[in-house]
């Protein structure tokens, strides 16, 4: 989804950001390709889209609506045969995600009559293509035949062989189509992109690893955007030059992920870049993690909030009394005491405005139809639990299911329902935001338990459906895989609503109330120790004597924790986090 609001597009909905993590097979513990994706927009309702496999007689047309706005864009011929598509995976072992970088403003206004926006491009390609390279060529064909109706995008594209990053920008109002470069993530490495184009120079004679639009350089020359040597041409520097906002709001999230893998030396090396102080100190496109990543590790990285880094925002007064690692929009703000400057509200990988998110896994050990699994979650990737659904599934869990703006459908955003995974997960997340340092460690433990349970369930059903497929009963295998995902998703939604109830009972009214069967009054013990130490210090610094007990105070009259007696909330939550990760 959209990155930065260009001046002319300042009315675009919400304040948007997205983060993708791409893991090549040899960088994963199970030799699987993985893509993690957060679709971030305050106006995006979280639901799992499903496009059943179809056969279409010649002349069948498909209506295309813009994913961001629901605007009707036109019709394109439907493919004669389409794959089953569940969210961002299909029944042919392919997955596609994206983050929007925008890019040069002149190239963001589409050629008149362009029909294919970036969302429709993803779902139409998943319906048509069976491999990452085929997907790249399909996307090129769709954009150049029917016109590309969106801003610059980085796409993540994976199959069982590997993972590609493809960066695309339209040619503006003067010319149909788009230019692009696609790079395969070297096997053993990982990549990440987050609303800033990242591909720079690229090989011209290595089609296994590097593909590109033939006119990607000549178009730039023609537009007066580039006059250097062909081999020095940098897609990102020409079509989406890094600005302060690109570095800090966007590349900062890539930096946080790469630093989590590679440690403090990486963080230090590129801190001047992501803080916008040295925009030429670009990070590598790919990095090689010292240890291979599992799907659970990728989910862990998608919970990142810049904790313990130079961009951490869970420690100052803006984090409230409970170290909340979130800042509410808008993204930039000003103060009367410093009218000449504006300030930023950092955006982290885990962010409140995520509509839906996933980690897709393509497993080469399975038959092609059963290779792709989408671990699909709704809302914030730090508070979500993702349910695994097969790309071949012919039904999806009703509590997660739904159409979107790209289908010409207005989702039920304004209707609260405990049958909706989106509202159930939002309910629990917003409760956690209210007392983060107290509630999140408890929530995280439950998230990890739920993920482990679902991983074990998936393993079991994988083993069962593999046997069925090997015995020639692919229909039975797909039905068993489908039914398992439907049950798992709806069970998860119910469990999470009950879990919200548990959290509510325990953390009501500022207390920490736990069961104590030996207590005859309430069967409970009422605990909780108020705010953390830093918050009390801040209150005194701000108010002086206003809250001071006169006549000595202290001792028996003291309320709340003293700094010496109690471990601070923050330390506690950090210890708890450490124990669970
Ligand atoms: C900015 O980064 C580039 C690339 O690493 C480096 O060559 C240059 O010296 C840096 N500039 C400053 C002012 O630190």
């Amino acid at each position: 989804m959209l990155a930065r609001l260009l001046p002319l597009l300042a009315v675009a909905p919400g304040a948007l950001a997205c983060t993708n993590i791409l893991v090549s097979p040899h960088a994963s513990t199970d030799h699987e390709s993985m893509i993690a994706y957060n679709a971030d927009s305050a106006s995006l309702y979280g639901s799992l889209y499903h496009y059943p496999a179809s056969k279409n007689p010649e002349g069948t047309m498909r209506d295309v609506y813009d994913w961001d706005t629901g605007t009707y864009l036109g019709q394109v011929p439907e493919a004669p045969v389409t794959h089953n598509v569940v969210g961002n995976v299909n029944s042919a072992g392919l997955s596609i995600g994206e983050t929007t970088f925008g890019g040069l403003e002149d190239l963001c206004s589409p050629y008149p009559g362009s029909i294919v926006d970036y969302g429709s491009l993803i779902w139409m390609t998943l319906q048509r293509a069976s491999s990452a390279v085929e997907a790249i060529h399909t996307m090129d064909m769709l954009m150049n035949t029917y016109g590309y109706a969106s801003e610059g995008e980085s796409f993540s594209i994976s199959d069982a062989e590997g993972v590609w990053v493809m960066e695309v920008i339209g040619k503006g109002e003067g010319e149909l189509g788009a230019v692009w470069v696609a790079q395969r993530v070297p096997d053993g490495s990982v990549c990440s992109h987050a609303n800033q184009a990242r591909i720079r120079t690229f090989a011209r004679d290595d089609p296994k690893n590097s593909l590109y639009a033939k006119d990607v350089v000549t178009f730039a020359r023609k537009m007066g955007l580039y006059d250097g040597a062909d081999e020095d041409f940098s897609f990102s520097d020409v079509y989406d030059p890094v600005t302060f906002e690109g570095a800090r709001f966007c590349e900062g999230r890539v930096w946080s992920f790469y630093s989590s893998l590679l440690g403090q030396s990486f963080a230090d090396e590129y801190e001047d870049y992501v803080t916008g102080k040295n925009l030429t100190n670009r990070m590598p496109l790919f990095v090689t993690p010292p240890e291979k990543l599992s799907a659970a590790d990728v989910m862990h990285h998608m919970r990142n909030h810049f904790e313990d880094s130079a961009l951490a925002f869970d420690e100052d007064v803006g984090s409230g009394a409970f170290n909340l690692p979130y800042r509410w929009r808008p993204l930039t703000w000003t103060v009367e005491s410093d009218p000449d400057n504006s300030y930023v509200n950092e955006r982290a990988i885990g962010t409140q405005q995520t509509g839906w998110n996933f980690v897709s896994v393509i497993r080469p050990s399975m038959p092609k139809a059963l290779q792709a699994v989408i671990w699909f979650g709704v809302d914030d990737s730090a508070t979500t639990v993702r349910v695994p659904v097969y790309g071949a599934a012919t039904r999806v869990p009703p509590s997660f299911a739904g159409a979107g703006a790209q289908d010409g459908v207005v989702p039920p955003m304004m209707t609260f329902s405990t049958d909706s995974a989106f509202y159930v997960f939002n309910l629990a997340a917003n409760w956690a935001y209210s007392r983060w340092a107290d509630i999140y460690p408890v929530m995280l433990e439950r998230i990890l338990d739920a993920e482990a349970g679902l991983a074990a369930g998936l393993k079991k059903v994988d083993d069962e459906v593999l046997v069925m497929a090997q015995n020639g009963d692919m229909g039975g295998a797909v039905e068993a895989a489908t039914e398992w995902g439907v049950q798992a998703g709806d069970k998860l939604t119910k469990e999470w609503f009950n879990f919200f109830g548990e959290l509510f009972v325990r953390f009501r009214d500022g207390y920490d109330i736990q069961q104590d069967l030996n207590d005859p009054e309430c069967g409970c013990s009422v605990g909780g120790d108020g705010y953390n130490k830093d918050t009390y210090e801040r209150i005194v610094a701000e108010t002086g004597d206003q809250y001071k007990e006169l006549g000595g105070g202290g001792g028996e009259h003291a309320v709340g924790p003293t700094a010496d007696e109690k471990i601070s909330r923050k330390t506690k939550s950090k210890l708890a986090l450490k124990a669970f990760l």
Side-chain angles (χ1 to χ4, degrees):
M1 293 230 119
L2 288 172
R4 292 152 264 156
L5 303 179
L6 299 167
L8 291 177
L9 297 172
V11 291
L16 312 168
C18 295
T19 312
N20 284 20
I21 287 175
L22 301 73
V23 180
S24 66
H26 273 102
S28 97
T29 47
D30 297 317
H31 204 256
E32 297 164 339
S33 300
M34 292 188 274
I35 296 173
Y37 174 25
N38 288 349
D40 300 346
S41 159
S43 53
L44 181 66
Y45 187 87
S47 49
L48 181 54
Y49 312 132
H50 177 214
Y51 304 100
S54 66
K55 288 198 170 67
N56 304 293
E58 210 181 317
T60 307
M61 299 300 280
R62 173 203 178 93
D63 289 326
V64 181
Y65 300 85
D66 183 70
W67 180 34
D68 281 342
T69 62
T71 308
Y72 179 70
L73 294 171
Q75 286 193 318
V76 301
E78 194 64 275
V81 178
T82 67
H83 298 302
N84 189 71
V85 175
V86 174
N88 291 58
V89 301
N90 72 8
S91 53
L94 176 69
S95 177
I96 308 178
E98 62 75 37
T99 72
T100 303
F101 62 77
L104 295 180
E105 211 170 320
D106 284 349
L107 302 181
C108 290
S109 305
Y111 182 72
S114 292
I115 295 176
V116 183
D117 72 290
Y118 72 110
S120 305
L121 186 63
I122 290 177
W123 288 295
M124 286 164 68
T125 302
L126 286 167
Q127 288 180 305
R128 291 167 188 238
S130 305
S131 73
V133 169
E134 193 189 333
I136 291 166
H137 292 305
T138 301
M139 289 163 75
D140 177 59
M141 182 280 287
L142 290 170
M143 293 186 294
N144 287 311
T145 307
Y146 305 107
Y148 180 59
S150 296
E151 297 174 34
E153 286 286 334
S154 303
F155 293 97
S156 301
I157 306 171
S158 66
D159 61 17
E161 307 289 311
V163 190
W164 292 71
V165 52
M166 175 187 193
E167 298 196 321
V168 170
I169 192 162
K171 294 185 186 174
E173 288 175 14
E175 196 169 329
L176 182 79
V179 289
W180 54 271
V181 174
Q183 300 288 285
R184 182 184 161 110
V185 181
D187 209 3
S189 293
V190 302
C191 181
S192 177
H193 53 83
N195 309 118
Q196 167 64 51
R198 303 202 58 232
I199 296 176
R200 304 186 76 201
T201 56
F202 51 94
R204 302 302 199 281
D205 51 1
D206 184 10
K208 282 201 156 58
N209 300 298
S210 180
L211 296 169
Y212 52 93
K214 292 289 168 278
D215 58 346
V216 66
V217 180
T218 52
F219 176 74
R221 291 189 193 287
K222 194 169 77 184
M223 297 295 284
L225 299 169
Y226 187 69
D227 61 4
D230 271 12
E231 61 273 20
D232 296 332
F233 178 85
S234 158
F235 184 94
S236 153
D237 290 297
V238 171
Y239 290 123
D240 185 33
V242 179
T243 59
F244 170 83
E245 297 197 345
R248 178 120 185 203
F249 296 161
C250 305
E251 293 272 81
R253 285 171 276 141
V254 173
W255 170 81
S256 195
F257 166 55
Y258 284 1
S259 299
S260 305
L261 297 175
L262 300 175
Q264 196 57 43
S265 60
F266 185 94
D268 290 344
E269 189 170 352
Y270 296 102
E271 186 178 319
D272 64 351
Y273 173 59
V274 296
T275 53
K277 293 172 186 144
N278 184 353
L279 297 180
T280 62
N281 191 20
R282 300 286 300 265
M283 296 183 291
L285 180 57
F286 311 117
V287 299
T288 302
E291 284 171 40
K292 292 178 194 292
L293 302 172
S294 65
D297 293 331
V298 174
M299 293 176 199
H300 159 69
H301 288 294
M302 294 306 281
R303 291 189 278 262
N304 181 310
H305 302 105
F306 294 118
E307 284 93 346
D308 298 319
S309 82
L311 296 184
F313 48 76
D314 58 346
E315 306 202 354
D316 64 76
V317 66
S319 68
F322 295 99
N323 303 103
L324 180 67
Y326 293 78
R327 294 297 158 97
W328 310 141
R329 302 278 80 94
L331 197 52
T332 56
W333 45 278
T334 53
V335 288
E336 282 178 8
S337 56
D338 185 15
D340 297 335
N341 288 298
S342 59
Y343 292 79
V344 305
N345 266 351
E346 217 63 77
R347 48 176 76 185
I349 294 176
T351 185
Q352 65 275 11
Q353 76 255 33
T354 303
W356 48 255
N357 66 79
F358 69 76
V359 174
S360 67
V361 185
I362 314 293
R363 301 96 46 87
S365 58
M366 299 296 282
K368 207 164 165 62
L370 300 169
Q371 276 180 347
V373 163
I374 183 166
W375 286 78
F376 183 84
V378 287
D379 193 31
D380 181 350
S381 64
T383 57
T384 200
V385 179
R386 300 170 186 82
V387 61
V389 180
Y390 289 81
T394 54
R395 302 180 302 282
V396 301
S399 56
F400 283 85
Q406 75 280 9
D407 306 306
V409 169
V410 179
M413 183 70 99
M414 297 311 293
T415 308
F416 177 78
S417 167
T418 56
D419 296 329
S420 151
F422 181 68
Y423 273 116
V424 166
F425 276 91
N426 264 286
L427 192 61
N430 277 267
W431 188 238
Y433 298 158
S434 72
R435 274 169 70 191
W436 185 260
D438 290 347
I439 298 175
Y440 190 62
V442 178
M443 176 178 270
L444 181 58
E445 187 179 15
R446 192 65 65 95
I447 290 170
L448 298 181
D449 280 354
E451 277 173 2
L454 288 163
L458 177 65
K459 173 86 185 64
K460 194 158 164 282
V461 74
D462 267 347
D463 291 346
E464 287 165 16
V465 299
L466 185 56
V467 171
M468 292 167 94
Q470 283 165 346
N471 291 338
D473 183 12
M474 187 54 92
V478 167
E479 174 54 29
T482 297
E483 186 55 23
W484 180 78
V486 168
Q487 301 292 338
D490 279 358
K491 186 159 163 270
L492 176 63
T493 303
K494 288 202 176 73
E495 270 175 26
W496 218 248
F497 182 66
N498 291 335
F499 177 52
F500 164 71
E502 276 178 47
L503 291 176
F504 191 82
V505 165
R506 177 166 170 185
F507 293 103
R508 177 175 54 84
D509 294 336
Y511 297 111
D512 182 347
I513 305 171
Q514 300 202 50
Q515 188 171 60
D516 178 359
L517 295 177
N518 294 322
D519 180 278
E521 187 196 0
C522 62
C524 73
S525 79
V526 178
D529 47 16
Y531 304 108
N532 69 25
K533 182 174 162 244
D534 295 346
T535 299
Y536 286 118
E537 294 289 350
R538 251 182 235 141
I539 292 170
V540 172
E542 195 176 313
T543 60
D545 286 351
Q546 187 185 342
Y547 298 104
K548 195 178 233 168
E549 280 198 276
L550 300 181
E556 65 204 44
H557 298 295
V559 288
T562 65
D564 294 340
E565 283 168 357
K566 307 255 183 190
I567 305 175
S568 78
R569 289 274 166 198
K570 186 163 170 62
T571 313
K572 260 202 275 185
S573 92
K574 281 215 170 129
L575 288 175
L577 279 171
K578 213 168 178 169
F580 297 137
L581 293 178

